[in-house]
Amino acid sequence: MANENKWGSNIAFVLAMIGSAVGLGNIWRYPYVLYSNGGGAFYIPYLLAIISLAIPFLILEYGVGYNYQSSFTKAIVKLKPKFEFYGWILPVVVFIMTVYYSTIIGWDGIYLFLSFFKGWGADPNTYLNVNLLQATDSLSGAFNFIPFIAVFMLVGWFIVWLISHKNLDEGLGRVCEIFVPLLFVVMLFIVIFSLTLPGASIGLSELFNPDWSLLWHFDIWMAAFGQIFFSLSLGMGAGFTYASYTNDDIDLISSGLKVIFANCAFENFAALGVFSILGYMSLQSGTPVSEIVSQGTTLIFVAYPQVFNILGTIGLVLGPLFFFTVYIAGITSMLSSFEVLSISIQNKFALSRRKATLILCIIGGLASMVYATSAGGYILGIADIFVNNIVVILSVFVECILFAWIFKAERLIDFMNGRSKHFKLGKWWLAHVKYIIPILLLVIWFGGLYELIALKTTDAVIVLIVLALILIISSLIFTLLPAKTKEWFKTEERIK
Ligand code: TRP
């Protein structure tokens, strides 16, 4: 039998990792983060976050994943059986993220459909908030179910099932080999076109105009670290899982650097496109860029449709291309976040890939229906803070302790360096994974907690408690259910 869980080639691994990293975070999140956190000045914390956090941590994640050749949970059980509960917390929280991520992909699917006939009409703002989302900014809309959104979200889950139930190299591997390069090509086209629009330079000078004074504010550092985490899918078991499927001859250091480079190039590139378009719009409407620019949702689902309206027929080509790009970026990321829990339950309950993916897609599809209500956008915002600011950062801290200290990061050095021609790990790397990153994480974590406390409203607290309960109870159930295979406690290590 062909191995269900092995990449066909090392290139498939790198492309799949780029597919995981390049997602909604690059297109709809990054441009706004860059703009609102000091523009050009943002590059200082951003580059530091890449060097001191992303590069060392990604390499650590890859190395340990490669070594255990199994799911995150199974590796934790092997490393410290008492930590199994934690070994489930991370996959479950990533699954919670997958569910809300599927919402935005669903919205994008709707816009992809609408873009063929500019179905958002002359006033995209009203269309989005009043006609489509019927958004409420509290839980009051939780019972107003919107079937149109539900259908598009379920389409996303169906696509994820369609790809992920196949053996790795025939499903995920092949899809990433085709669609990830395509994603870059289409984005290149969109950006080049946007740069040629009149007014593009207005948008760009607004974007990059550096505000150095912000460097003294804690917020922009938090924003940079948060962005790098989210954008690179760091610490969420995605890199770990994908690296566990690699072949023995993989050069993990260079692969990691390629992934980071491609991801960061993509998001900065996307920002050029986004702000050129905003500049064009500013020129057409006489409104300053600062008044047009907005956060993710409004940016791509309001500002963009407005531009496609102004562009006339060209908008009918550019619109579908743009929403299609966002769609692929989203699906290839969702596939990787989905994979983390999927492989964990395959390992513990001796399920085939086909069965595990079917069960999880059904559960995920059903759970995502919470977001197909008027309160969907509201709950999504809170779930995002819960996952990214609270659980993941703390979890990465625990990962550092487990991987760098208990597993002993030193063990990886000879093996990794042996495969890497140009870049070698040494003391600086150890210092990062053992000391610098854990300390940075604690600082970021308290900052995130502060943001959470600022939410305060009763409804937000209810959502947070429900999410925490779901997380704890499902992780407990997974921990307590007996393993269906003796293999659960046996994990071969590849690095001796
Ligand atoms: N990196 C993805 C993006 O930029 C989102 C993401 C964050 C993710 N964490 C993840 C994807 C974990 C897969 C797994 O949109």
Side-chain angles (χ1 to χ4, degrees):
M1 192 182 86
N3 194 333
E4 285 184 322
N5 296 321
K6 267 269 176 254
W7 298 116
S9 66
N10 294 339
I11 296 174
F13 162 66
V14 173
L15 288 174
M17 270 316 299
I18 296 176
S20 166
V22 172
L24 303 169
N26 302 58
I27 305 172
W28 87 332
R29 194 172 184 277
Y30 180 71
Y32 183 76
V33 169
L34 172 61
Y35 170 77
S36 57
N37 286 288
F42 183 72
Y43 283 102
I44 291 180
Y46 180 75
L47 287 174
L48 261 168
I50 294 176
I51 294 166
S52 64
L53 184 91
I55 297 178
F57 191 78
L58 196 70
I59 291 176
L60 178 69
E61 242 192 327
Y62 281 2
V64 184
Y66 168 89
N67 175 56
Y68 285 110
Q69 220 175 344
S70 70
S71 62
F72 180 80
T73 319
K74 194 171 174 195
I76 298 288
V77 169
K78 165 84 184 187
L79 198 55
K80 270 245 168 273
K82 282 204 189 108
F83 272 57
E84 178 169 349
F85 177 65
Y86 164 72
W88 287 105
I89 287 274
L90 184 78
V92 173
V93 86
V94 174
F95 193 73
I96 293 178
M97 186 205 91
T98 311
V99 173
Y100 75 69
Y101 204 79
S102 77
T103 312
I104 308 169
I105 296 177
W107 294 346
D108 184 70
I110 295 177
Y111 276 80
L112 174 57
F113 166 70
L114 296 174
S115 64
F116 287 99
F117 52 98
K118 298 188 183 166
W120 47 68
D123 181 1
N125 191 16
T126 310
Y127 179 81
L128 175 74
N129 291 307
V130 182
N131 304 21
L132 181 65
L133 301 182
Q134 305 165 31
T136 55
D137 58 0
S138 68
L139 285 180
S140 59
F143 295 102
N144 182 27
F145 184 67
I146 307 164
F148 185 58
I149 299 182
V151 170
F152 277 90
M153 285 167 63
L154 293 175
V155 169
W157 281 99
F158 178 71
I159 296 176
V160 166
W161 171 78
L162 209 59
I163 299 168
S164 65
H165 83 278
K166 298 192 178 167
N167 288 354
L168 201 71
D169 64 325
E170 289 158 20
L172 231 163
R174 189 158 303 161
V175 164
C176 290
E177 277 168 342
I178 299 169
F179 284 97
V180 172
L182 184 68
L183 185 66
F184 277 74
V185 174
V186 180
M187 196 65 186
L188 187 73
F189 174 79
I190 295 176
V191 173
I192 291 176
F193 176 80
S194 313
L195 286 170
T196 61
L197 288 172
S201 58
I202 304 176
L204 295 182
S205 61
E206 184 77 17
L207 172 65
F208 292 117
N209 178 24
D211 181 352
W212 301 108
S213 69
L214 282 182
L215 284 178
W216 301 107
H217 292 244
F218 186 62
D219 298 7
I220 115 165
W221 291 86
M222 285 258 309
F225 283 84
Q227 171 64 26
I228 280 298
F229 254 106
F230 187 80
S231 176
L232 278 164
S233 320
L234 271 192
M236 298 215 194
F240 186 100
T241 306
Y242 277 9
S244 78
Y245 303 150
T246 51
N247 300 302
D248 287 340
D249 60 347
I250 183 85
D251 171 0
L252 292 169
I253 302 180
S254 313
S255 305
L257 293 174
K258 281 179 201 155
V259 171
I260 292 174
F261 178 77
N263 178 70
C264 296
F266 189 98
E267 65 191 8
N268 284 289
F269 212 59
L272 291 184
V274 168
F275 274 80
S276 306
I277 288 214
L278 294 179
Y280 169 70
M281 195 167 149
S282 157
L283 189 70
Q284 299 293 316
S285 62
T287 326
V289 174
S290 58
E291 282 176 30
I292 306 172
V293 63
S294 59
Q295 305 234 23
T297 320
T298 334
L299 186 67
I300 71 172
F301 300 134
V302 176
Y304 262 66
Q306 282 167 345
V307 175
F308 299 140
N309 281 352
I310 309 176
L311 281 172
T313 325
I314 302 176
L316 286 173
V317 179
L318 209 62
L321 266 187
F322 175 74
F323 291 114
F324 174 68
T325 315
V326 178
Y327 205 81
I328 304 180
I331 290 282
T332 50
S333 295
M334 184 173 160
L335 282 165
S336 79
S337 60
F338 177 80
E339 198 62 24
V340 181
L341 185 59
S342 163
I343 190 73
S344 288
I345 66 168
Q346 287 173 47
N347 281 171
K348 181 163 187 181
F349 305 111
L351 293 172
S352 63
R353 175 171 270 279
R354 285 177 173 270
K355 255 203 196 128
T357 48
L358 181 67
I359 296 172
L360 283 186
C361 281
I362 292 175
I363 296 177
L366 287 175
S368 68
M369 292 299 100
V370 173
Y371 296 103
T373 64
S374 295
Y378 175 73
I379 302 175
L380 197 155
I382 301 172
D384 184 45
I385 295 184
F386 174 76
V387 170
N388 288 301
N389 293 16
I390 303 304
V391 187
V392 171
I393 296 188
L394 204 56
S395 161
V396 178
F397 176 79
V398 180
E399 268 177 74
C400 273
I401 305 296
L402 284 168
F403 295 167
W405 289 91
I406 298 179
F407 170 82
K408 293 201 174 51
E410 292 85 343
R411 286 176 59 195
L412 296 170
I413 292 186
D414 284 345
F415 158 77
M416 298 276 230
N417 286 351
R419 313 261 152 132
S420 171
K421 277 200 215 96
H422 309 294
F423 308 98
K424 308 277 179 192
L425 302 179
K427 285 209 180 73
W428 67 269
W429 179 69
L430 280 179
H432 273 85
V433 294
K434 289 194 151 179
Y435 304 101
I436 300 177
I437 298 178
I439 294 170
L440 277 177
L441 289 173
L442 280 189
V443 175
I444 303 175
W445 192 72
F446 281 107
L449 208 58
Y450 176 78
E451 211 174 294
L452 190 73
I453 293 168
L455 277 177
K456 269 191 319 242
T457 62
T458 327
D459 281 7
V461 175
I462 295 176
V463 176
L464 286 172
I465 293 179
V466 172
L467 286 169
L469 284 176
I470 294 177
L471 175 62
I472 292 170
I473 294 173
S474 24
S475 304
L476 254 184
I477 294 178
F478 284 130
T479 310
L480 297 176
L481 282 176
K484 280 268 167 28
T485 158
K486 290 201 187 80
E487 294 288 307
W488 183 239
F489 295 101
K490 276 198 272 163
T491 312
E492 288 277 335
E493 296 195 39
R494 285 203 265 193
I495 299 171
K496 297 299 171 212

